[in-house]
Amino acid sequence: MKKKIFNLLGKIDKFKSDHKEEIENFRIKFLSKKGHITELFDEFKKIPSEEKREVGKILNELKNQASAKIKFLKNNLKNKNVSEEKKIDLSLESTNFFGSRHPVSIIQNEILNIFNRLGFTVSDGPEIEDDWHVFSSLNFPKEHPARDMQDTFFIEKNPDILLRTHTSSVQSRMMENNRPPIRTVSPGRVFRNEAISARSHCIFHQVEGLYIAENVSFADLKQTLLYFAKEFFGEKTEIRLRPSYFPFTEPSAEVDVTCSICEGKGCNVCKYTGWLEILGCGMVDPNVLENCKIDSKKYTGFAFGMGIERIAMTKYQIKDIRLLFENDIRFLKQF
Ligand code: DAH
């Protein structure tokens, strides 16, 4: 009997587990009514009385050891569960807890990330601006008809304080405050005194791009925009530049991308042309460089500007711009 007890003591000593069921099975095997220890107590009754003292002692020891082991393993299990519950996964995005990003933010971040990879920094400027940064420095002379292209909300007249009509105002601030090379993208909100409809809103967002250095050419502009278009709309995307006019760039162009929905074949989103207009661009006019105290003989540069809502509407096939401002949860939940 002593041998059996020592054998079981060895087993108890070796037993390890962090599974609830295994620990319970161990308890049944050793301490239940049909377990080893109960069996041994029955056997104990039959042994000669002179052995009882010694065997009784180790038998009690066996029982204590088994109970202590189970208590120890159960405690370990409890602590483990608690610490697992308390563990914080720092890699989880906080957005998982607080709903989802607005489609305009999603698109804006995507655009900024692409230009980031090309070495563009991110910059911003004020929404309440003066005439100089929104118009005059950008080669819109007073009374020039080009000012009518952008209906302005004025806050004060003389001197003019207004809500910026485009993020090109950040261009002139960046050129005033930094020396070339300058390579920056400027996202932000812009305001125009326009009637609200399915296609236009009086508040929307733009991303402006600016690159000023020595020997920057139109080919650099085209290549940068092609890279952007392929990264954003997909590898098969082509771009097309159409001559256009902006006071602050010369030459100027409007850029179309092949429609990503029909891959250029023609559908109702691209009005069966196969192309979608996404931005305006051009080489920074030397007058603008000089207005911002940059030597136009030494430096050249390109600029571009795009509307984020328009790109979001193209990408997600949203038919009405107003949906992007109404904060209807049924709409926002889809992104
Ligand atoms: N600021 C123009 C607009 O709001 C967009 C634009 C066109 C920006 C050409 C540019 C550019 O930098 O070169 O319509």
Side-chain angles (χ1 to χ4, degrees):
M1 189 169 172
K2 269 206 262 173
K3 211 171 152 195
K4 268 192 204 164
I5 295 174
F6 284 124
N7 194 358
L8 291 177
L9 272 170
K11 280 189 181 160
I12 292 171
D13 191 43
K14 271 195 208 131
F15 181 71
K16 268 189 209 139
S17 172
D18 55 3
H19 290 102
K20 208 174 158 192
E21 298 78 37
E22 279 176 14
I23 299 170
E24 179 57 12
N25 283 342
F26 176 84
R27 188 195 66 78
I28 294 169
K29 215 159 118 193
F30 280 83
L31 290 169
S32 69
K33 278 190 184 138
K34 286 184 183 151
H36 296 311
I37 294 173
T38 322
E39 257 173 37
L40 284 170
F41 271 103
D42 285 343
E43 218 176 289
F44 176 73
K45 288 176 197 149
K46 293 171 207 150
I47 61 168
S49 47
E50 60 271 24
E51 284 176 30
K52 278 209 159 112
R53 214 179 117 94
E54 192 192 354
V55 177
K57 214 172 152 195
I58 48 174
L59 189 54
N60 275 330
E61 178 65 18
L62 178 72
K63 193 179 170 186
N64 292 341
Q65 289 274 343
S67 310
K69 186 77 179 213
I70 288 163
K71 202 170 164 193
F72 171 77
L73 292 174
K74 278 189 175 166
N75 244 340
N76 267 359
L77 198 65
K78 214 161 72 204
N79 291 340
K80 188 177 160 237
N81 290 343
V82 170
S83 57
E84 252 162 31
E85 268 166 33
K86 275 191 190 157
K87 246 186 236 165
I88 298 167
D89 182 354
L90 294 174
S91 68
L92 273 183
E93 281 188 32
S94 61
T95 48
N96 290 351
F97 299 109
F98 304 117
S100 60
R101 280 203 191 283
H102 192 278
V104 169
S105 303
I106 297 173
I107 298 294
Q108 177 176 304
N109 289 346
E110 235 175 274
I111 296 169
L112 298 183
N113 279 339
I114 294 171
F115 285 104
N116 246 215
R117 295 203 285 278
L118 290 173
F120 283 73
T121 59
V122 177
S123 51
D124 65 4
E127 292 178 345
I128 298 174
E129 264 291 9
D130 48 34
D131 177 279
W132 172 254
H133 291 101
V134 176
F135 294 124
S136 300
S137 67
L138 296 172
N139 216 23
F140 288 83
K142 279 249 171 318
E143 318 305 333
H144 192 284
R147 289 193 178 213
D148 295 340
M149 285 162 74
Q150 304 178 357
D151 290 320
T152 311
F153 283 117
F154 288 94
I155 294 176
E156 252 173 55
K157 281 271 184 194
N158 286 327
D160 284 347
I161 304 293
L162 43 93
L163 295 179
R164 64 179 178 194
T165 54
H166 55 180
T167 43
S168 302
S169 53
V170 188
Q171 254 192 51
S172 49
R173 286 187 178 273
M174 285 303 283
M175 286 190 272
E176 278 172 357
N177 299 322
N178 298 279
R179 295 299 89 192
I182 300 168
R183 201 163 16 174
T184 188
V185 272
S186 325
R189 216 157 40 144
V190 300
F191 308 83
R192 289 191 195 175
N193 193 356
E194 270 179 34
I196 297 171
S197 70
R199 294 296 301 170
S200 64
H201 210 284
C202 56
I203 304 175
F204 55 100
H205 298 77
Q206 291 185 330
V207 174
E208 183 78 14
L210 177 72
Y211 178 33
I212 310 282
E214 285 179 54
N215 301 319
V216 178
S217 71
F218 201 88
D220 296 323
L221 169 60
K222 205 175 153 190
Q223 204 52 40
T224 304
L225 296 178
L226 180 62
Y227 173 81
F228 165 72
K230 285 185 182 293
E231 286 290 293
F232 188 87
F233 292 103
E235 187 48 37
K236 285 192 194 141
T237 311
E238 297 291 333
I239 61 170
R240 171 173 89 170
L241 278 76
R242 285 178 288 109
S244 185
Y245 171 76
F246 298 102
F248 36 94
T249 44
E250 181 58 36
S252 305
E254 273 170 315
V255 178
D256 301 338
V257 292
T258 41
C259 176
S260 51
I261 290 147
C262 62
E263 293 185 346
K265 288 184 201 81
C267 66
N268 63 349
V269 175
C270 61
K271 300 200 183 80
Y272 300 95
T273 61
W275 297 95
L276 293 165
E277 187 198 318
I278 56 156
L279 56 85
C281 66
M283 299 305 292
V284 178
D285 192 300
N287 288 341
V288 174
L289 294 175
E290 294 298 333
N291 284 341
C292 301
K293 313 263 177 311
I294 288 177
D295 182 355
S296 63
K297 302 231 161 41
K298 189 169 177 201
Y299 297 107
T300 50
F302 64 69
F304 55 86
M306 60 186 107
I308 301 179
E309 280 79 0
R310 157 126 14 145
I311 294 185
M313 288 168 78
T314 304
K315 180 143 185 172
Y316 297 128
Q317 293 192 52
I318 300 166
K319 296 252 165 10
D320 192 325
I321 195 170
R322 289 169 290 199
L323 285 166
L324 292 166
F325 295 92
E326 281 163 359
N327 284 335
D328 186 326
I329 200 97
R330 291 166 301 178
F331 171 74
L332 295 177
K333 255 188 181 165
Q334 299 172 51
F335 302 93

